[in-house]
Amino acid sequence: MTTAAVTDKRPSTLRGASLPKWSPWAIAAGSIGLAVIIGLAGGLHSKVQWGLIAAILFVLGTYGIATRVEGRRQAKDRIATSFVWVAFLLAVVPLVSLIWVTVSRGVKVLDVYFLTHSMGVVADSEPGGGIYHAIIGSLEQVGLATVIGAPIGILTAIYLVEYGRGKLTQAVTFFVDVMTGIPSIVAGLFILSLMLIFQMQPFGFAGSLALAILMMPVVVRSTEEMLKLVPNELREASLALGVPKWRTILKVVLPTSIGGITTGVMLAIARIAGETAPVLLLVFGNPFINNNPFEGAQASLPLYIYQQYAQSAGANAAYDRAWAASLTLIAFVMILNLVARGIARWKSPR
C-alpha cells in the first residue's frame, strides 16, 4: 500500500468539534423548562413573560454551549441563527393566537343563516340577525374603489417608469410616498369635506372614493416595481422592429409583468377591505339591506364589527356577532391573498 493511499484514509483533522443536529431543540426545551421554573418561583403568571424569559435563556444558552464546544466564531453564527428564530416566533405567536381566538369565538354564530340575513329590526342586544347587508356593502364599496383606484394607479406607474422625466416625475413620486403613509381617517375627512360643500348625505360610493385614495399609492408602488423588473432588452427589441412605444408597453411590458401587477392590486384590495374609519365617517352604517351604493347609508363588514363590539357591553349576542364577522373578514382577506399568489404563479414568466 502506497503512502498516498494511507494518507487518504486518515480522518481529516481540519474539522473541529460541532454540536449535534438536535442540540437546538434540546437547548430550547431546557430553556422553556427553566423559564417555567423561574416564572413559578418569581410569581410570574403571564405566559408572555415565560416566553420572553425562555427566549433570552435560549440565546444565552446557545452562545455559551457553542462557545465551549465549537469556539467563538461558530458561536457567533449560532447566536445569529438563534436571534432569527426568536424573531420568527415573536412574529408568529401573536398571529397564531389572533387566528385561534377569532376562530374559537367566531364559530359560535357563524352559519348559513348568519351569512344570508341582515340585522333588520333585530336589536343589538338580541340574538339573531346576520351580516348579509354588511357583505353586500363591503363588496360594492371595495369593488367600486378597485374600479377607480386600480387603473389610475397602474397608469401612474406606467408614466413614472416608461415616460417620466424631470421635476413632474419627482413631484408625483414624492406625493405617492406621502399618500402611502397617510392615516385612513385623513382620506375620509377629505371626502367628507367635499360632501359637506355639496350638502350630500352619507352613501356607499363616498366610502369607495376614500378607499380608492388609500388604494392608489399601494398599486402605484407595486406596479412600478414590477415594471422595473422587465428587462430593457425586451423593450429595445420591440422598438427596433419599429413598434410604437405605446404598443410595446401594451404588448410586451404589461404581459411580462401582469402577474406581479395583479398580485399588487389584490393585496391593495385586501388592505382597504378592513378599513373602518372612512366608512364610519362617510357610509354611516345601515342595519337593512341597501343594494344601491349611490343612495342612502350602507353597511360594511369593518363598520359592522365596530358597531357590534361597541354595543356588546352586557350583550353576549352582539359580542358573538362581532367575532363571527371578524372571522368572515379574515377569511375574505385570506382568500384574496391566496388568489393573488395563484395568479402570480400562473402568470409568472417561464
Side-chain angles (χ1 to χ4, degrees):
M1 184 178 295
T2 63
T3 306
V6 174
T7 304
D8 292 340
K9 291 185 177 181
R10 291 178 181 177
S12 176
T13 58
L14 296 178
R15 185 176 180 180
S18 62
L19 294 173
K21 294 182 178 180
W22 49 264
S23 60
W25 299 100
I27 296 173
S31 300
I32 294 173
L34 187 58
V36 172
I37 295 175
I38 294 175
L40 293 175
L44 303 176
H45 302 289
S46 174
K47 294 181 180 180
V48 175
Q49 294 174 325
W50 294 4
L52 293 176
I53 294 174
I56 295 173
L57 292 176
F58 175 71
V59 173
L60 296 178
T62 299
Y63 180 75
I65 296 175
T67 301
R68 186 175 183 84
V69 177
E70 299 176 334
R72 286 183 175 275
R73 184 173 183 178
Q74 187 64 22
K76 292 179 180 179
D77 178 73
R78 287 190 175 274
I79 197 172
T81 305
S82 301
F83 275 119
V84 171
W85 276 104
V86 170
F88 169 74
L89 292 176
L90 290 176
V92 168
V93 169
L95 178 62
V96 173
S97 176
L98 173 64
I99 295 176
W100 172 257
V101 172
T102 305
V103 172
S104 61
R105 296 184 178 181
V107 295
K108 293 181 180 179
V109 297
L110 184 61
D111 52 19
V112 177
Y113 178 88
F114 183 74
L115 295 174
T116 56
H117 287 74
S118 65
M119 288 301 294
V121 295
V122 178
D124 292 331
S125 59
E126 297 177 354
I131 59 171
Y132 180 75
H133 61 303
I135 294 176
I136 294 296
S138 286
L139 291 177
E140 291 181 348
Q141 294 162 26
V142 173
L144 289 172
T146 304
V147 171
I148 298 171
I152 296 177
I154 293 174
L155 292 175
T156 303
I158 292 175
Y159 168 77
L160 293 175
V161 176
E162 304 294 337
Y163 295 98
R165 298 292 185 275
K167 294 183 179 180
L168 179 59
T169 302
Q170 296 176 0
V172 173
T173 303
F174 172 76
F175 282 110
V176 169
D177 293 336
V178 172
M179 290 177 62
T180 304
I182 64 171
S184 58
I185 191 67
V186 175
L189 289 173
F190 172 70
I191 302 299
L192 180 62
S193 63
L194 297 179
M195 292 174 60
L196 294 177
I197 292 174
F198 294 101
Q199 298 180 353
M200 303 173 69
Q201 298 297 321
F203 62 111
F205 184 66
S208 299
L209 293 176
L211 296 179
I213 293 175
L214 298 173
M215 181 181 186
M216 281 187 283
V218 180
V219 176
V220 171
R221 274 286 162 259
S222 60
T223 304
E224 189 178 0
E225 295 302 322
M226 291 301 105
L227 294 177
K228 288 179 180 179
L229 294 177
V230 178
N232 286 327
E233 289 78 6
L234 296 178
R235 298 180 176 89
E236 294 171 355
S238 178
L239 295 173
L241 294 174
V243 180
K245 188 168 186 177
W246 68 268
R247 195 172 183 86
T248 299
I249 296 171
L250 188 63
K251 296 294 185 179
V252 177
V253 178
L254 289 180
T256 305
S257 58
I258 189 63
I261 294 174
T262 306
T263 302
V265 172
M266 299 295 287
L267 295 178
I269 294 173
R271 192 264 190 196
I272 65 174
E275 291 293 345
T276 307
V279 180
L280 179 62
L281 286 175
L282 306 171
V283 180
F284 211 65
N286 189 351
F288 296 95
I289 299 173
N290 179 12
N291 294 322
N292 186 4
F294 299 99
E295 183 179 358
Q298 200 176 34
S300 72
L301 278 174
L303 181 57
Y304 177 89
I305 296 168
Y306 169 77
Q307 291 174 336
Q308 291 297 311
Y309 189 80
Q311 301 295 329
S312 64
N316 293 328
Y319 189 72
D320 294 338
R321 285 193 296 264
W323 280 108
S326 301
L327 180 58
T328 305
L329 184 59
I330 289 176
F332 175 71
V333 174
M334 182 183 68
I335 292 172
L336 286 178
N337 280 272
L338 292 176
V339 170
R341 289 178 178 272
I343 294 175
R345 179 170 295 184
W346 175 41
K347 291 293 185 178
S348 60
R350 297 293 185 267

